[in-house]
Amino acid sequence: MNFTAMAHPLFFLLVLSIFPTASGTAASLSSPYCPTYDCGNGVQIKYPFWRLDNTTSTQFCGYPDFGLTCSDSGEPILSLPSDSYYVKNISYEEYTLTLVDIDILDQPCPRARHNLTINGTLPLYYSSLDLNLAFYFNCTSTPSVLQYIQCLTSYAMKSYVFIVGEETDDFDWLANCEEKVVATVMEEEISIANLSGGFGGAMKKGFILDWGSVRDCGECEAHDGLCGYNNAQGEGLCFCKDGSVSRDNCKGMFFFTFY
Ligand SMILES: *[C@@H]1O[C@H](CO)[C@@H](O)[C@H](O)[C@H]1NC(C)=O
Ligand SMILES: *[C@@H]1O[C@H](CO)[C@@H](O)[C@H](O)[C@H]1NC(C)=O
Ligand SMILES: *[C@@H]1O[C@H](CO)[C@@H](O)[C@H](O)[C@H]1NC(C)=O
Ligand SMILES: *[C@@H]1O[C@H](CO)[C@@H](O)[C@H](O)[C@H]1NC(C)=O
Ligand SMILES: *[C@@H]1O[C@H](CO)[C@@H](O)[C@H](O)[C@H]1NC(C)=O
Ligand SMILES: *[C@@H]1O[C@H](CO)[C@@H](O)[C@H](O)[C@H]1NC(C)=O
């Protein structure tokens, strides 16, 4: 089934917290309506992402942590434990998500405030296209030859940026600076030779997270199933064409034509 055919009515039967067990038939679902949604910036919000607004806390049109709100300016927003991020792109083919820290977007010289926290509590992982930058703000005594961030420096308090792990040896940055923040950018947006001049532009382009660990949904769809999520049991479901419900996908099942 070609899932660009989003208008297919079965697609909207996705959800499923109401679903007490992973058995039963698709026909028994009361079907919360989960349309594909566009906040305005062209990013299609569909399973496993869903629009958080107007949804009760027990019924999810997608993965529980992947509920998105819309900003007034028409950008989807993902709230992570650490901070909120604009969603600039969702790739349903490559299972990636492009995020930009909301805090920094309107700053001419972005000053990251929060470490991105994706520490295993969410099904999100760094992409191999990313690079982590370590910022040290308001440092007092520092090695004098280093290039500092001019736009974040006042009086004797200088700020520095490094690729994480490539800080100058033999200097205790944590002890000599007011704060350390790690921010993620796309490697291709960074010029290593001009980190301290170019980091701002790179941060505004955002970074990529991989949500492929919930890609079971793709497998389910590839086998002509429709994807759902059982919130009570914290597991993905696949609603197969023959009306059965499977925990992984409909592979090897005998398909009945059902519509
Ligand atoms: C909730 O839905 C109503 C009716 O569709 C709509 O008018 C309202 O703007 C929605 N609320 C939010 C927060 O999107
Ligand atoms: C979204 O991400 C995909 C995969 O990385 C990429 O192919 C596509 O060009 C991106 N779209 C936009 C609008 O950035
Ligand atoms: C992950 O980060 C959150 C938010 O900072 C924190 O509450 C939680 O304890 C962390 N979990 C682990 C396993 O580090
Ligand atoms: C450095 O400290 C000063 C004074 O506390 C503060 O106003 C400024 O925002 C700090 N700079 C950075 C980059 O954190
Ligand atoms: C960010 O994480 C680093 C460890 O990588 C830690 O030393 C630092 O205190 C954290 N900064 C903030 C603002 O939480
Ligand atoms: C570093 O990058 C900034 C922003 O792109 C640019 O204005 C500046 O000229 C660059 N500096 C060098 C030395 O290339």
Side-chain angles (χ1 to χ4, degrees):
M1 183 190 299
N2 179 357
F3 266 76
T4 55
M6 277 315 177
H8 193 291
L10 268 183
F11 182 79
F12 302 128
L13 287 178
L14 301 179
V15 194
L16 344 356
S17 39
I18 350 149
F19 223 78
T21 67
S23 63
T25 67
S28 70
L29 288 172
S30 71
S31 51
Y33 186 69
C34 301
T36 298
Y37 197 83
D38 179 348
C39 289
N41 74 345
V43 173
Q44 299 290 302
I45 301 176
K46 62 185 185 185
Y47 190 94
F49 297 90
W50 50 290
R51 187 162 177 240
L52 190 58
D53 316 30
N54 277 354
T55 308
T56 68
S57 59
T58 51
Q59 293 183 355
F60 297 132
C61 288
Y63 195 89
D65 293 313
F66 288 178
L68 306 178
T69 53
C70 291
S71 74
D72 292 343
S73 58
E75 310 246 27
I77 296 175
L78 176 66
S79 293
L80 296 179
S82 46
D83 207 356
S84 292
Y85 298 85
Y86 284 133
V87 178
K88 292 296 186 183
N89 190 5
I90 301 175
S91 167
Y92 294 94
E93 288 78 41
E94 295 176 24
Y95 306 100
T96 58
L97 187 63
T98 307
L99 301 179
V100 176
D101 189 341
I102 291 179
D103 293 347
I104 60 104
L105 214 49
D106 53 4
Q107 297 178 27
C109 183
R111 198 277 196 213
R113 295 279 160 193
H114 307 279
N115 288 333
L116 172 64
T117 308
I118 48 165
N119 56 6
T121 55
L122 289 170
L124 291 172
Y125 299 91
Y126 290 111
S127 154
S128 56
L129 302 174
D130 291 330
L131 194 63
N132 283 327
L133 301 180
F135 289 89
Y136 295 90
F137 297 113
N138 273 351
C139 306
T140 46
S141 93
T142 51
S144 58
V145 293
L146 281 177
Q147 205 181 26
Y148 55 89
I149 303 173
Q150 298 203 354
C151 61
L152 289 176
T153 288
S154 49
Y155 306 105
M157 307 276 266
K158 293 178 176 158
S159 297
Y160 295 81
V161 58
F162 301 94
I163 291 168
V164 160
E166 299 188 3
E167 290 92 337
T168 313
D169 287 341
D170 304 327
F171 186 77
D172 190 344
W173 289 94
L174 280 177
N176 286 285
C177 305
E178 205 171 85
E179 193 176 31
K180 173 186 183 182
V181 173
V182 177
T184 306
V185 294
M186 290 183 257
E187 187 166 13
E188 65 177 14
E189 297 295 334
I190 279 292
S191 153
I192 306 286
N194 187 13
L195 260 190
S196 58
F199 73 90
M203 284 172 76
K204 291 177 184 185
K205 292 280 174 62
F207 56 93
I208 297 177
L209 295 181
D210 197 305
W211 49 272
S213 62
V214 296
R215 82 179 63 207
D216 296 356
C217 196
E219 275 182 39
C220 170
E221 291 173 357
H223 291 98
D224 261 7
L226 294 164
C227 209
Y229 190 83
N230 180 335
N231 189 46
Q233 300 186 340
E235 65 188 9
L237 296 177
C238 188
F239 300 107
C240 306
K241 264 191 177 175
D242 65 357
S244 68
V245 180
S246 152
R247 289 227 296 262
D248 33 48
N249 60 55
C250 306
K251 184 162 42 184
M253 304 195 78
F254 187 77
F255 295 133
F256 295 94
T257 307
F258 178 90
Y259 51 91

